[in-house]
Amino acid sequence: MPATQTAYFNQAYLLGGTLTALPYLLTLALFATAASAEGFRHKAQRTLIMGMVLALSFILIGAVFGPVVLLMFGTSYSQKSWPFLMIILAAGPAMVIKDHFVVLRRLQGRRRQGALTMALWSAAELTGAVVGGLVGGTTTMLCLGWMAMSTACALIALPVLISALRRRSTGDESHRGPLVKVDDRVC
């Protein structure tokens, strides 16, 4: 990558990384407060929703205000860094899902499996970036290759998260209350 492209990418990466850190901090709070997989089930839905809302909001904010913020580095940065910023921000929802996957595996006591999975996903993302860069020949294609693989990895994690959010640790359904009351019997 030429030095100018690296400079444009670095500014977008720094700004995008700063914004995407906020949803990540939600998952840190989730890990700190959910003492078990059952605690994850009770709390993760809120952090997933808040993380997704933040990630999607940052995409919109980046689309509208990104060029203006990048102007502080110069006009060329505003024009050349903005596409990179948008790709980085567009990967935000995938990062939210993967961060929650890591928290889930840690709370389940499956750290090795989680670490191995994340290592494989990192290798896949790196491969996507390299292939994107080689096929497209531009930094934009490199970023798109990374984002495509990041999204694919998040789609692999999503069913695991959905299952963990739905799974009950006990068969006790008494907390749900009656669905229909017929002649003083619960049906």
Side-chain angles (χ1 to χ4, degrees), residues 52 55 90-99 125 147 150-155:
M52 285 296 177
M95 289 186 228
V96 169
I97 292 169
K98 293 185 302 180
D99 290 342
E125 290 172 2
M147 185 189 75
S150 182
T151 302
C153 295
L155 290 174

Side-chain angles (χ1 to χ4, degrees), residues 6-166:
T6 302
Y8 296 140
F9 172 79
N10 281 338
Q11 295 312 318
Y13 181 74
L14 290 172
L15 183 56
T18 300
L19 292 174
T20 58
L22 293 174
Y24 170 71
L25 294 174
L26 283 173
T27 59
L28 283 179
L30 173 64
F31 180 69
T33 60
S36 65
E38 184 65 16
F40 178 89
R41 188 179 68 77
H42 288 294
K43 296 179 180 190
Q45 187 173 11
R46 287 188 301 257
T47 58
L48 269 168
I49 290 170
M50 287 189 291
M52 285 296 177
V53 166
L54 281 172
L56 294 172
S57 297
F58 292 147
I59 295 170
L60 181 63
I61 290 167
V64 175
F65 297 108
V68 176
V69 172
L70 289 166
L71 273 173
M72 76 173 110
F73 303 109
T75 307
S76 62
Y77 280 92
S78 178
Q79 295 168 351
K80 306 276 184 172
S81 295
W82 184 73
F84 303 140
L85 175 63
M86 291 310 301
I87 294 169
I88 291 166
L89 294 177
M95 289 186 228
V96 169
I97 292 169
K98 293 185 302 180
D99 290 342
H100 277 77
F101 176 84
V102 170
V103 168
L104 174 64
R105 287 300 188 231
R106 290 178 74 187
L107 290 171
Q108 290 173 331
R110 298 167 77 178
R111 286 180 173 87
R112 284 189 188 136
Q113 182 194 30
L116 178 60
T117 302
M118 292 306 293
L120 291 173
W121 288 351
S122 295
E125 290 172 2
L126 180 60
T127 302
V130 169
V131 169
L134 291 174
V135 170
T138 65
T139 309
T140 303
M141 289 303 296
L142 180 144
C143 291
L144 285 172
W146 164 77
M147 185 189 75
M149 289 308 295
S150 182
T151 302
C153 295
L155 290 174
I156 292 168
L158 191 56
V160 174
L161 290 179
I162 291 170
S163 176
L165 290 171
R166 290 185 178 162

